[in-house]
C-alpha cells in the first residue's frame, strides 16, 4: 500500500478504538484538507504504478469528482482562502474511494507474483 496503517490493529481493540477516535477526528480536522474540500484519498501521491492503475479503474463520475476537488482546492490555495462551510468536506463524506481499489490491485499483484514463483513438479 502507499502508506502504512495501524487501522486493523486499533479496530480489533475496542478500548483502543474509543481512545483513538477523538484523537483521529481532531487530527483530520487539524490537517486542513477538508477545509479545502478534499477527501483523504485525494492526498495519496500519484507516483506509483499501483496508484496510477487504481486511478484508471475509477468510475468516470468519481474520477471527475476527484479532479474537480483537486482543482477547487488548488484555486482556493492560490487565493489563500478556505472554502465556505457548506462546500467543505464533512467527516461523513470523507469516505475512502481509492484505497479499496489500491488494496485490490496490490492483492492481484501479490497473487500474480505468487503464481509466477510457483514450482510445478511432475510425478515420476
Amino acid at each position: 500500500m502507499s502508506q502504512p496503517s495501524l487501522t486493523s490493529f486499533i479496530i480489533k481493540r475496542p478500548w483502543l478504538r474509543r481512545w483513538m477516535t477523538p484523537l483521529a477526528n481532531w487530527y483530520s480536522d487539524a490537517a486542513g484538507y477538508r477545509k479545502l474540500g478534499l477527501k483523504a484519498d485525494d492526498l495519496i501521491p500519484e507516483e506509483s504504478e499501483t496508484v496510477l492503475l487504481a486511478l484508471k479503474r475509477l468510475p468516470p463520475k468519481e474520477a471527475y469528482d476527484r479532479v474537480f476537488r483537486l482543482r477547487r482546492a488548488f484555486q482556493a490555495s492560490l487565493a489563500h482562502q478556505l472554502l465556505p462551510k457548506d462546500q467543505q468536506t464533512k467527516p461523513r463524506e470523507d469516505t475512502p474511494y481509492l484505497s479499496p481499489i489500491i488494496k485490490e490491485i496490490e492483492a492481484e499483484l501479490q497473487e500474480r507474483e505468487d503464481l509466477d514463483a510457483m514450482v510445478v513438479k511432475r510425478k515420476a
Side-chain angles (χ1 to χ4, degrees):
M1 180 137 171
S2 55
Q3 69 260 8
S5 177
L6 295 173
T7 307
S8 60
F9 179 80
I10 293 171
I11 288 176
K12 290 179 185 175
R13 291 154 182 83
W15 64 272
L16 189 56
R17 184 176 183 176
R18 282 192 305 271
W19 188 77
M20 290 297 289
T21 300
L23 184 63
N25 290 336
W26 172 83
Y27 180 78
S28 294
D29 190 46
Y33 66 88
R34 289 181 181 164
K35 294 176 182 174
L36 293 172
L38 296 172
K39 291 184 176 184
D41 280 359
D42 293 336
L43 304 177
I44 296 175
E46 301 176 9
E47 297 166 351
S48 74
E49 291 295 321
T50 307
V51 176
L52 290 174
L53 186 57
L55 289 171
K56 290 179 185 176
R57 289 188 186 182
L58 276 178
K61 170 83 168 94
E62 193 66 49
Y64 176 81
D65 289 346
R66 180 182 198 286
V67 170
F68 176 77
R69 285 191 302 270
L70 290 171
R71 287 184 181 176
R72 183 177 58 180
F74 183 70
Q75 196 68 13
S77 178
L78 283 177
H80 297 285
Q81 295 177 347
L82 297 177
L83 293 177
K85 287 278 190 189
D86 61 328
Q87 292 181 3
Q88 293 179 4
T89 304
K90 280 58 166 185
R92 69 183 183 294
E93 295 172 352
D94 192 7
T95 56
Y97 66 94
L98 194 59
S99 299
I101 299 173
I102 292 172
K103 288 177 185 174
E104 180 182 310
I105 291 171
E106 287 176 343
E108 289 172 7
L109 292 174
Q110 183 62 41
E111 182 181 6
R112 181 175 291 145
E113 185 178 308
D114 292 344
L115 288 174
D116 287 345
M118 184 172 30
V119 176
V120 179
K121 295 182 182 178
R122 292 186 178 184
K123 291 184 180 178

